[in-house]
Amino acid sequence: SQQGEEDPQALSIQEGENATMNCSYKTSINNLQWYRQNSGRGLVHLILIRSNEREKHSGRLRVTLDTSKKSSSLLITASRAADTASYFCATDAWNRDDKIIFGKGTRLHILP
Amino acid sequence: EAGVTQFPSHSVIEKGQTVTLRCDPISGHDNLYWYRRVMGKEIKFLLHFVKESKQDESGMPNNRFLAERTGGTYSTLKVQPAELEDSGVYFCASSQVGAKTQYFGPGTRLLVL
């Protein structure tokens, strides 16, 4: 079964607006990470949040984690055209060694 | 510092042919992972090397896939014979032992016709 599921699957917003993407997972985790993939490029690590953390910031990114609901959100503030990409959440757990499991991703499109 | 590199960037082959993908991890990273994303689906784990040893190959779809990491440096993933459903993007990632952040390569886009 799929561990991470991003919501929505696709999102289009105007440049300058905030974009929020959600991720839900099924089993207990150790860490949750968000990755970005620009079209035709590889995956870029954005941010990692540990299971004992509730919120983390990095530049224009804000990640929240609610372990009771097994969900996380990624907020991108003041979006830019360069933010157009697919965003994936990925989880790892103590009982899965270093293996991380990805969701299907959210395709974010920033409109000029 | 050079990142994870993969070769080739694209490969188009016919069903039944053989293709070998290569991954060069970041120097000093003992962990090396292969993932695959089939069109429209999630990125799925294939296998994990620690140095030259296969730590976990539970994600390998079938015995047409063979991964090696001789010498514990670069890795190859061979698909023989390739089938249509093998089309997708194959990602390689590496990390230091104990680190949770994996660094991904740009991927190899495989199209089997």
Side-chain angles (χ1 to χ4, degrees):
Chain A
S1 62
Q2 185 174 303
Q3 173 73 333
E5 294 192 31
E6 286 86 348
D7 163 41
Q9 291 189 342
L11 177 64
S12 292
I13 61 172
Q14 293 293 138
E15 191 170 11
E17 293 181 340
N18 296 341
T20 299
M21 290 161 274
N22 302 298
C23 166
S24 61
Y25 56 91
K26 294 181 172 63
T27 61
S28 296
I29 64 168
N30 188 30
N31 304 288
L32 186 143
Q33 306 180 60
W34 284 91
Y35 286 83
R36 181 187 72 218
Q37 184 190 14
N38 293 87
S39 179
R41 307 291 292 274
L43 290 160
V44 174
H45 180 260
L46 295 177
I47 196 165
L48 179 150
I49 186 165
R50 302 184 193 285
S51 59
N52 62 354
E53 296 177 310
R54 293 296 166 258
E55 189 171 311
K56 203 160 183 179
H57 297 254
S58 177
R60 293 183 296 112
L61 306 180
R62 173 178 165 247
V63 169
T64 63
L65 179 64
D66 187 334
T67 52
S68 66
K69 295 181 179 178
K70 291 187 169 58
S71 67
S72 172
S73 68
L74 171 66
L75 168 68
I76 303 176
T77 60
S79 62
R80 305 168 182 169
D83 295 330
T84 293
S86 289
Y87 292 81
F88 299 90
C89 71
T91 60
D92 67 76
W94 290 112
N95 62 354
R96 285 193 264 121
D97 195 25
D98 289 331
K99 182 166 66 177
I100 58 177
I101 297 178
F102 288 87
K104 289 186 179 181
T106 293
R107 294 186 308 279
L108 175 65
H109 185 56
I110 307 300
L111 304 169
Chain B
E1 178 184 300
V4 177
T5 58
Q6 292 185 245
F7 181 84
S9 58
H10 296 78
S11 180
V12 181
I13 62 173
E14 292 187 348
K15 176 182 172 181
Q17 289 186 321
T18 297
V19 62
T20 301
L21 314 180
R22 172 170 170 147
C23 168
D24 286 78
I26 293 172
S27 177
H29 283 192
D30 286 340
N31 286 320
L32 187 149
Y33 308 83
W34 283 98
Y35 294 86
R36 175 175 76 170
R37 188 182 189 201
V38 173
M39 181 71 76
K41 300 278 183 73
E42 64 271 26
I43 301 167
K44 283 196 171 179
F45 167 85
L46 295 178
L47 88 159
H48 170 205
F49 283 101
V50 178
K51 296 185 179 179
E52 67 275 8
S53 299
K54 290 177 185 174
Q55 180 79 4
D56 181 352
E57 53 184 330
S58 60
M60 294 287 265
N62 52 61
N63 59 10
R64 294 185 293 103
F65 289 75
L66 175 64
E68 294 180 322
R69 193 183 181 195
T70 307
T73 54
Y74 71 90
S75 174
T76 58
L77 178 64
K78 182 162 71 173
V79 185
Q80 179 183 31
E83 298 290 343
L84 300 179
E85 62 265 25
D86 299 333
S87 296
V89 182
Y90 289 77
F91 291 103
C92 173
S94 72
S95 70
Q96 294 178 317
V97 172
K100 293 304 179 184
T101 299
Q102 297 180 16
Y103 297 86
F104 282 76
T108 292
R109 281 144 192 81
L110 175 64
L111 178 60
V112 182
L113 301 176

